[in-house]
Amino acid sequence: MNFNDKNYKLSVQLDKIHLRNPTMLASGILGISQSIFERLYDENIGAVVTKSISVNPMKGYPNPTIIPLGGGSYLNAVGLSNPGVAAFSKELSENRNIPIMISLVGSSEKEFSKMVKVFDSLKIIGYEINLSCPHVSKMGMELGDDPEAVNKIVRAVRINTNKPISVKVGVGSIDVVELARVAIEAGANIITAINTLRAMSIDIETMMPVLSNLIGGLSGNAIKPIGIRCVYEISKKLQVPVIGCGGVSSWQDVIEYMIAGASAVQIGSILGSSGLKIFTHITKDLKKYVEKKGLRNISELIGIAHKYQ
Amino acid sequence: MRTNINKRRIVQIEETIAETPTVKTLVFKDSLSYSAKPGQFLMIWIPRIEEIPMSVMINSKEGYAAVTIRKFGFGSTALFERKKGDLIGLRGPYGKKFTIRKNCKKILIIGGGTGLVPLLRLVSYISKKKIKSTIVMGARTKEEVFFEKLTRKIIDETGSLLIVCTDDGSYGIKGSTVSVMSKLVRDDTFDCVYTCGPELMMKGVVELSNQNSLPVQASLERYMKCGIGICGSCCLDSSLVCQDGTVFNEKQLSTMLDFGISYRDKDGRKVNYA
């Protein structure tokens, strides 16, 4: 890589993955259509993460599943709706040049093994294991809060692939750094932090909870400082590549996450007000910042905050 | 300050109109819905039951709007069963509207069933603009014809024309909207075609428009969770129906390989239209 080439100002390395810029689509957003992935790539995105895929198709919860709360924050309990392994591997079979990371969700190591065996022949850059969805029982956070389950699942995926594995952690009942340590020791290469946080919203006119599932996950502006803290702690203590996620709505947020220690940054909820063009806008502005600060490459920002005591 | 369309408003149903045994209109007061553009939709919350996208129906009272539901699935049946005095939640209006080019003098409107809802908002809008329209209203049988009286009232003294057709010939002209349209475009000239209804009907309208080099706009429908471009449930090729639509023009429609072919189910799998 030639750092003097202006096209490489924004390129980053995530374990074995080379990205043209640090922006990624967060899992759960858009995420089911190859045509949409291609459109996002045309909008200069670095990579996409798919919706979390399970062995069998899941319809998810009835609506309301996504609530705009105002102030750039959102509450969702979609219930991991997804087309399942068979339909989704067909969806991605035509993929040639889009950097796609498949998000996996399941309730046992067997399910994860089964999925990786099917997906591993596709042209994808790696996997993100969702161990932090806060609103579906026997999946996501319920497993993420159990270090032994995390260990077993990550090992099951590791045995079946040589591709990079990221584990998506959230703020649950065990310390996020400990959870990340278990995942890395079991063979994960990257940590994605953080997922949404358990939250609720009640309508005072009808006096009823709004989400059909009652409880969901909070995303957007409200959770950004928590995401920054988690990325900072994980990257500082474990010295592993971290993908920052949570409340990123501008190029400034991407920079902040990178200074905290993120090698790449996922963007999601903001699409509800900005549309897909946000990736083009953000990458353009990131380049301006890198040039203004006289950096050879944006990676020079990663973890600058670690040096302060 | 700009009103936040995402903020949920709770409104009371002030009137219900039985259009047919399976189609009902619910009227409520809401200024954002009142000024919705033709083709835009609301996310309607039926508390503790569902939230569904519905095109915004017009109402004669200032500051009022409505939704017209066909009893079909779980959510639409629940909404259909709401009574006067019940509370529902609204967010929106969302989505792109039907557009009218400058110098447009005469348009052709083809609607089927509840697809007439956004088209009547369009008819009401153009009736103030001295644009003439020919409206083709299709239904399977006489019992399923609705909005006829209302449409006649809107186009009264505007020089516009309403043609009703039924598949079985029990009312109006016998035949489909597309067969009626093929005669109309042969005998008359139009500046643009606007359509909404069952997707296979719209596919026929779009193909016929293309064959006659007529610009065409169609308001499409897909399953939605968020209505604001986050969930991706409504994706149709590389478009999101909620944000890029619901209205698409002939150029956009020509790139959609799945238009009239398939839609995505709640789990995101593609299902072919029968």
Side-chain angles (χ1 to χ4, degrees), chain B residues 165-205:
Chain B
C165 60
T166 51
D167 292 345
D168 67 355
S170 54
Y171 189 71
I173 296 174
K174 183 178 171 25
S176 70
T177 51
V178 180
S179 65
V180 172
M181 175 183 168
S182 67
K183 287 198 193 80
L184 288 168
V185 295
R186 198 181 51 208
D187 301 340
D188 208 342
T189 54
F190 298 96
D191 298 312
C192 190
V193 180
Y194 297 87
T195 185
C196 186
E199 189 148 316
L200 295 179
M201 180 205 91
M202 288 193 280
K203 178 94 172 167
V205 170

Side-chain angles (χ1 to χ4, degrees), chain A residues 88-158:
Chain A
F88 198 62
S89 57
K90 197 175 153 206
E91 180 81 35
L92 297 190
S93 61
E94 301 290 307
N95 183 45
R96 294 289 167 266
N97 62 334
I98 315 295
I100 297 174
M101 187 177 256
I102 298 182
S103 172
L104 303 171
V105 73
S107 51
S108 70
E109 58 267 36
K110 261 189 199 156
E111 290 185 0
F112 284 92
S113 302
K114 205 169 167 182
M115 287 189 279
V116 175
K117 279 174 186 154
V118 176
F119 285 139
D120 222 42
S121 57
L122 295 174
K123 200 170 176 300
I124 54 168
I125 58 171
Y127 300 96
E128 185 176 87
I129 306 178
N130 178 356
L131 291 176
S132 42
C133 170
H135 52 72
V136 176
S137 68
K138 302 199 171 57
M139 283 183 165
M141 181 72 87
E142 282 197 15
L143 300 171
D145 270 342
D146 175 0
E148 192 41 43
V150 172
N151 177 47
K152 276 187 188 161
I153 287 164
V154 176
R155 281 180 200 280
V157 176
R158 181 75 291 161

Side-chain angles (χ1 to χ4, degrees), chain B residues 8-269:
Chain B
R8 186 183 322 102
R9 290 98 64 192
I10 301 292
V11 297
Q12 194 166 46
I13 296 165
E14 296 194 19
E15 187 191 351
T16 68
I17 305 159
E19 309 286 1
T20 77
T22 56
V23 177
K24 199 187 268 180
T25 297
L26 309 178
V27 181
F28 50 83
K29 191 177 180 185
D30 178 58
S31 61
L32 286 172
S33 306
Y34 171 74
S35 47
K37 304 284 185 290
Q40 289 193 304
F41 67 96
L42 297 165
M43 289 301 290
I44 306 276
W45 183 42
I46 311 132
R48 293 314 308 151
I49 299 178
E50 253 289 358
E51 188 182 43
I52 54 175
M54 296 290 307
S55 195
V56 196
M57 181 60 192
I58 48 169
N59 186 267
S60 53
K61 291 193 286 285
E62 187 158 346
Y64 281 74
V67 286
T68 300
I69 319 109
R70 180 185 296 280
K71 194 174 147 176
F72 181 69
F74 178 72
S76 60
T77 302
L79 188 56
F80 179 87
E81 286 164 358
R82 295 300 98 175
K83 295 180 178 61
K84 186 177 170 179
D86 285 353
L87 298 179
I88 53 172
L90 317 171
R91 53 188 181 92
Y94 297 121
K96 304 272 189 291
K97 59 178 181 178
F98 286 114
T99 55
I100 294 167
R101 277 164 225 188
K102 268 186 205 165
N103 309 323
C104 182
K105 291 189 179 69
K106 192 167 184 191
I107 63 173
L108 179 58
I109 291 175
I110 313 282
T114 50
L116 285 157
V117 168
L119 296 172
L120 287 187
R121 192 166 276 272
L122 177 70
V123 171
S124 164
Y125 180 72
I126 60 161
S127 66
K128 297 161 200 156
K129 293 205 159 221
K130 293 187 179 166
I131 298 168
K132 281 185 185 165
S133 60
T134 298
I135 304 155
V136 181
M137 187 181 272
R140 272 173 294 197
T141 64
K142 184 182 177 181
E143 289 70 35
E144 293 185 24
V145 175
F146 57 94
F147 288 159
E148 188 192 354
K149 235 169 105 181
L150 175 67
T151 310
R152 293 206 187 280
K153 203 171 144 193
I154 300 168
I155 63 171
D156 188 34
E157 291 175 14
T158 60
S160 291
L161 178 71
L162 172 65
I163 300 167
V164 182
C165 60
T166 51
D167 292 345
D168 67 355
S170 54
Y171 189 71
I173 296 174
K174 183 178 171 25
S176 70
T177 51
V178 180
S179 65
V180 172
M181 175 183 168
S182 67
K183 287 198 193 80
L184 288 168
V185 295
R186 198 181 51 208
D187 301 340
D188 208 342
T189 54
F190 298 96
D191 298 312
C192 190
V193 180
Y194 297 87
T195 185
C196 186
E199 189 148 316
L200 295 179
M201 180 205 91
M202 288 193 280
K203 178 94 172 167
V205 170
V206 170
E207 278 169 2
L208 196 52
S209 302
N210 290 342
Q211 286 160 18
N212 289 276
S213 307
L214 281 169
V216 59
Q217 296 177 23
S219 171
L220 309 189
E221 185 179 18
R222 283 294 181 275
Y223 174 70
M224 289 176 192
K225 292 181 195 294
C226 70
I228 51 175
I230 291 181
C231 71
S233 303
C234 67
C235 65
L236 172 53
D237 292 276
S238 65
S239 296
L240 296 172
V241 172
C242 70
Q243 292 286 285
D244 303 317
T246 63
V247 178
F248 295 98
N249 63 29
E250 67 280 352
K251 203 175 148 195
Q252 294 166 308
L253 292 163
S254 69
T255 65
M256 293 176 177
L257 302 174
D258 289 340
F259 172 56
I261 303 292
S262 67
Y263 61 94
R264 284 182 193 262
D265 213 341
K266 286 182 180 177
D267 55 31
R269 282 182 298 175

Side-chain angles (χ1 to χ4, degrees), chain A residues 169-217:
Chain A
V169 298
V171 181
S173 62
I174 67 166
D175 177 47
V176 74
V177 180
E178 268 321 295
L179 181 57
R181 192 195 307 276
V182 172
I184 295 291
E185 282 170 5
N189 313 92
I190 308 163
I191 299 295
T192 304
I194 56 175
N195 208 314
T196 57
L197 277 77
R198 275 174 75 79
M200 189 172 185
S201 174
I202 296 167
D203 178 74
I204 61 163
E205 206 56 51
T206 55
M207 303 180 197
M208 289 174 183
V210 183
L211 287 173
S212 70
N213 190 54
L214 308 176
I215 288 177

